[in-house]
Amino acid sequence: MNKKTGIVPGSFDPVTLGHLDIIQRASGIFDEVIVSVLTNSSKKPLFSADERVALIEEATAGMNNVKVDQFDGLLIEYARKKEAQAIIKGLRAVSDFEYELQMASINRKLDDHIETFFMMTSPAYSYLSSSIVKELARFHAETKDLVPDCVEQALQHKFSQNDK
Ligand code: PNS
């Protein structure tokens, strides 16, 4: 049987415990999960693509079938190149649904062999986003229960440098 590969795409600026929850649960279902960091986003990221990849690599080090990669351009073309069967997205709330439905529909129109799978974020992380985490860190508030240790340290480092 063919290996089943799922792609978890995102900006991951930075990766949160909410992302890691989705990645870990997906890794129990797919043979291989590729966490793919978008490099050419219109948003100006806090962390460079290489920094974001390194942080995800550190946070997923114990997950044996998880790889980390970066991509630019269209997600569906990248997924096709990786011979993935599915794109995996986390849904936190109804507010995520409309945009995600639009993305999934466009991706399906571009290639209907690649499915989009949605997973509900665990309730503990339903309010969590990378933007919220950055906002807290910018004002030196605790992010301990929201991100892995490596990200907490990287955020502290980033914002202590910015203060100088
Ligand atoms: O973490 P994000 O910022 O919500 O992730 C969004 C992402 C990377 C999944 C989305 O922006 C994306 O797929 N970008 C690649 C460009 C693309 O394929 N767009 C959809 C068709 S126009």
Side-chain angles (χ1 to χ4, degrees):
M1 219 177 69
N2 281 348
K3 180 174 75 169
K4 298 279 186 259
T5 299
I7 288 183
V8 180
S11 308
F12 303 108
D13 185 42
V15 69
T16 67
L17 293 186
H19 295 128
L20 289 168
D21 167 55
I22 297 291
I23 295 165
Q24 179 153 40
R25 285 160 57 205
S27 76
I29 293 170
F30 286 85
D31 299 314
E32 175 186 60
V33 168
I34 309 176
V35 183
S36 306
V37 176
L38 178 70
T39 59
N40 67 339
S41 169
S42 52
K43 306 175 207 164
K44 190 179 173 330
L46 177 65
F47 292 98
S48 71
D50 288 342
E51 285 173 327
R52 284 177 276 155
V53 166
L55 290 170
I56 303 168
E57 277 173 345
E58 193 169 340
T60 60
M63 303 181 205
N64 293 335
N65 59 343
V66 174
K67 285 186 192 161
V68 189
D69 191 19
Q70 34 186 295
F71 78 104
D72 58 16
L74 286 180
L75 173 60
I76 204 78
E77 283 176 6
Y78 169 79
R80 209 183 284 141
K81 239 181 1 218
K82 291 286 162 187
E83 301 183 0
Q85 283 72 27
I87 292 164
I88 304 158
K89 294 294 206 70
L91 283 182
R92 286 166 300 192
V94 178
S95 50
D96 282 342
F97 182 76
E98 206 168 329
Y99 175 68
E100 291 299 342
L101 177 66
Q102 186 183 23
M103 286 292 127
S105 306
I106 292 171
N107 286 334
R108 190 187 174 91
K109 186 168 162 44
L110 294 173
D111 188 333
D112 63 4
H113 294 102
I114 300 175
E115 294 284 351
T116 300
F117 278 42
F118 290 108
M119 294 175 69
M120 297 311 299
T121 303
S122 295
Y125 305 124
S126 60
Y127 59 90
L128 188 52
S129 69
S130 299
S131 314
I132 292 277
V133 163
K134 283 182 279 191
E135 184 85 349
L136 290 173
R138 179 169 296 124
F139 296 110
H140 309 290
E142 274 228 342
T143 56
K144 194 159 67 76
D145 298 327
L146 311 178
V147 294
D149 290 347
C150 58
V151 170
E152 195 195 356
Q153 282 160 24
L155 281 167
Q156 281 171 3
H157 185 66
K158 202 55 96 177
F159 287 111
S160 67
Q161 273 182 339
N162 289 357
D163 286 348
K164 279 173 195 159

